[in-house]
Structure formats: C-alpha cells, structure tokens
Amino acid sequence: MSAAQTMSTPSMLESALYLASHGVHVLRLHYPVGNGCSCGSPSCVVGGSDENSRGKHPVHAGWLDSPAPDANALREDFARVAAPDEPNIGILCNKLSGILALDIDPRNGGDATLAALVAKHGPLPRTWEDRSGRDDGGKHIYLRRPVGASFKGKLGTGVDVLANKQAVAPPSIHAATGKPYTWTVAPHECPLADPPEWLLPLITASPDAPKLSKIPAEFLTGAKHDEAVEW
C-alpha cells in the first residue's frame, strides 16, 4: 500500500483537491447506490445493459473538452452531493490533461500481456499507479501523454490505452465489491513518467514521432501545491 494511504482514507473532496494540486484534471463521477447508480438510469443497474458503468461515468456533459476545475470549483461541485453520500472521482486522460493510462485487466489476461512486454522490452518506469477496487489485481499505470499523435485503443489482450477517456481514481468505490481504489504509487511519491521509447510505437497509431506532453514540470514533479492536502 502506498504511504499516501497508510493513514485513514481521505474524503473524496480531499482526494480531488490532492490530485488537482498535482496538476491532474479531476472529474466528478457518479457513485454506486445499492444495486444501481446515482445517475438513476434503469440500465445502470446490476443485470442492466450498462451494469459495468455503475459509479464510473462522469456527471457532467462535455467532460472530455471541459477546462480543469480549480479548488473552489471542486468544492462547489462536490457540495451538490448530499452527505453522507460521496461522489466517485476520475482522472481525465486526453490531450487536454496531458495524461494517459494503461488499464490492466487480469480477467482478460492483461497481467500476462504486460509481463510478456516487460520481459521482451524492459521494465516500465516508476510512475503513478493505482489498484482497482475490484480487488483482482487490476490497475491503472499513468504516463505523460505525448502530443501530436493518435492512439490505439489497446496495447494487447486485456490492456486498454486510455488516451481519450477517463480513469476511475482512488479512493473511489467499486460498485461490484464496495471496496476502494487505492494508490500503490501516489502522485506525491514520484513524477509522472514519460512512456519508455519501446512503448510509443505500440500505443500510437500516427506515423510521426510524438512529442511529450507540455504539462508544467512543477506539477508533474509534485513541486507545486495550490492546495495542501494531508493524507
């Protein structure tokens, strides 16, 4: 478990402010409610066509193109959820945020796919990483998103490339298990890493060599903290 979570688990708002202080574009997500979702859709329930979206999809329309909320905007937005309920939170992964994530799903062989790639090409750099609340070894590995490139949707079997989506972030609650997502390497523990050279041609679809994201270095190294949040 990350040092960020050896103490009591922070609230969703505290977690959102913490991520924002590290330059992360935070999204307010719906949250699980019994066998359904706070969105209230009859299809977003256990056994429904959108069952896998319970507590995982953004509340606001246009979230892919929306500006990153500042601390005051996050507080106002989260205040719309009546206590004791708390929203889940997500990390925007697209060209605006400068972040992408590898989504490793061991149910579909993602852990084996990643292990084979690492054995062939070498390890991934130390970077932000979280563990799914599904509690089966699933995880997100976050990297700086190169600009000027289009991206494949998959790295391989069981490994999705989240480059124009969002990733559910800690300490969000997984609808199927009721357990939280947790950080194994939190943003304050290391900089957000660049993708290794061997990975770029495997995840990008454009012929031109991609350039690295232009997120200010003080955010990626954790040197800038507009909101100091104790975990």
Side-chain angles (χ1 to χ4, degrees), residues 93-115:
C93 299
N94 72 355
K95 62 183 179 181
L96 292 180
S97 69
I99 296 174
L100 66 81
L102 302 180
D103 185 0
I104 316 300
D105 186 351
R107 298 172 301 175
N108 296 312
D111 48 351
T113 296
L114 183 62

Side-chain angles (χ1 to χ4, degrees), residues 17-221:
L17 293 172
Y18 164 78
L19 289 173
S21 77
H22 287 272
V24 174
H25 188 140
V26 183
L27 301 168
R28 178 161 69 95
L29 307 184
H30 284 288
Y31 54 94
V33 178
N35 289 330
C37 178
S38 63
C39 69
S41 170
S43 63
C44 202
V45 298
V46 173
S49 58
D50 295 321
E51 176 179 359
N52 291 334
S53 294
R54 288 191 303 140
K56 291 185 175 182
H57 54 108
V59 170
H60 301 298
W63 55 272
L64 273 172
D65 302 311
S66 64
D70 61 18
N72 287 333
L74 285 170
R75 290 189 182 98
E76 291 176 4
D77 195 24
F78 279 56
R80 296 186 175 98
V81 180
D85 290 338
E86 288 191 296
N88 279 344
I89 59 175
I91 292 175
L92 182 65
C93 299
N94 72 355
K95 62 183 179 181
L96 292 180
S97 69
I99 296 174
L100 66 81
L102 302 180
D103 185 0
I104 316 300
D105 186 351
R107 298 172 301 175
N108 296 312
D111 48 351
T113 296
L114 183 62
L117 288 169
V118 167
K120 180 177 181 180
H121 299 286
L124 291 170
R126 188 169 190 260
T127 190
W128 306 351
E129 184 176 316
D130 68 31
R131 183 178 298 274
S132 170
R134 198 171 54 239
D135 203 27
D136 62 356
K139 60 185 177 181
H140 296 127
I141 299 172
Y142 297 92
L143 297 162
R144 293 178 68 192
R145 185 188 191 276
V147 298
S150 57
F151 291 84
K152 302 172 184 177
K154 282 188 172 292
L155 174 59
T157 302
V159 181
D160 291 340
V161 179
L162 308 183
N164 199 39
K165 296 185 177 182
Q166 62 90 17
V168 180
S172 296
I173 301 300
H174 196 283
T177 65
K179 296 181 178 181
Y181 287 68
T182 56
W183 288 109
T184 50
V185 183
H188 74 270
E189 295 181 284
C190 74
L192 183 65
D194 298 330
E197 290 187 8
W198 64 261
L199 182 61
L200 288 174
L202 300 180
I203 62 175
T204 56
S206 62
D208 298 330
K211 300 177 182 179
L212 291 176
S213 160
K214 296 182 180 178
I215 300 178
E218 63 266 27
F219 284 120
L220 299 181
T221 59

